[in-house]
Amino acid sequence: MVIRESELPGIGRKFEIDTQEGNRIVIILHDDGRREVYYFDKRDLEESAFDITLNDTEARQLAAILGGMIYKPKAMETIEVAFNDLIIEWYKVESGAKAHNKTIGDIDVRSNYDVTIIAIMKGPKTKLSSPGPDTVIEEGDTLVISGERGNLKRLIIELLSKGGSA
């Protein structure tokens, strides 16, 4: 996938995305928060096949859906999304992990790892957004964690993987 970014003075920014299949998506982020999305089929990259305009809230909800923050396909055990140095990753707590049966407050990931637990999926039906310090982490929980890559890796190795050494 190829992404080109350009400034639109007085309007905002434009992103052109050429997909692996040869299609093109153009996204214009207006300074007022509106987003315009244009789709160009590879058979005609000059004329958009469709377009849609979204307000800021709609765009953020769509981004959460596309980014897998609302639903994570079953086939994906881990995934990461990068925002410069900030990474959002899904990680399933392994059997025998040091974090098992401990609360978020007990392991204090913010102070000890500079990582935030955004959400926890406990099985297929229970999703906890913004879990508090009293939330217990259990084997098999999928944590949605955010931080810099090195800090996430250290947290995963020391507390979420089997045989971690915290």
Side-chain angles (χ1 to χ4, degrees):
M1 180 165 69
V2 176
I3 301 174
R4 291 177 301 283
E5 180 179 349
S6 59
E7 187 173 341
L8 300 173
I11 296 171
R13 297 198 73 73
K14 177 171 104 174
F15 297 85
E16 293 180 76
I17 303 164
D18 292 334
T19 68
Q20 190 172 357
E21 293 181 4
N23 302 312
R24 179 172 292 150
I25 300 166
V26 175
I27 302 168
I28 299 175
L29 277 73
H30 290 263
D31 291 334
D32 67 4
R34 284 181 302 128
R35 273 70 159 195
E36 294 177 41
V37 181
Y38 298 88
Y39 171 78
F40 297 83
D41 188 277
K42 63 184 170 191
R43 294 174 291 211
D44 184 3
L45 295 175
E46 300 299 317
E47 186 74 30
S48 70
F50 74 84
D51 64 87
I52 184 172
T53 300
L54 303 167
N55 66 32
D56 186 68
T57 301
E58 293 166 335
R60 290 178 188 280
Q61 288 174 338
L62 178 61
I65 292 167
L66 290 174
M69 295 189 69
I70 297 198
Y71 171 76
K72 182 181 72 136
K74 302 272 186 251
M76 300 174 72
E77 285 299 313
T78 65
I79 185 172
E80 65 178 40
V81 178
F83 300 101
N84 288 334
D85 292 335
L86 179 67
I87 304 290
I88 298 174
E89 185 169 334
W90 283 251
Y91 192 84
K92 190 172 187 176
V93 178
E94 295 180 7
S95 173
K98 295 229 181 249
H100 173 62
N101 278 338
K102 294 200 165 76
T103 67
I104 292 173
D106 290 339
I107 61 174
D108 197 10
V109 295
R110 276 197 191 160
S111 296
N112 295 326
Y113 296 90
D114 198 23
V115 169
T116 301
I117 298 175
I118 299 171
I120 299 178
M121 273 87 77
K122 292 183 167 288
K125 304 249 186 224
T126 305
K127 296 173 180 93
L128 306 173
S129 296
S130 301
D134 295 333
T135 304
V136 176
I137 297 171
E138 299 172 309
E139 171 184 311
D141 287 352
T142 299
L143 305 184
V144 182
I145 52 179
S146 173
E148 291 184 4
R149 185 179 311 276
N151 295 340
L152 292 178
K153 184 176 179 180
R154 193 167 61 91
L155 170 70
I156 289 168
I157 290 169
E158 292 179 7
L159 294 182
L160 305 179
S161 300
K162 182 177 184 171
S165 59

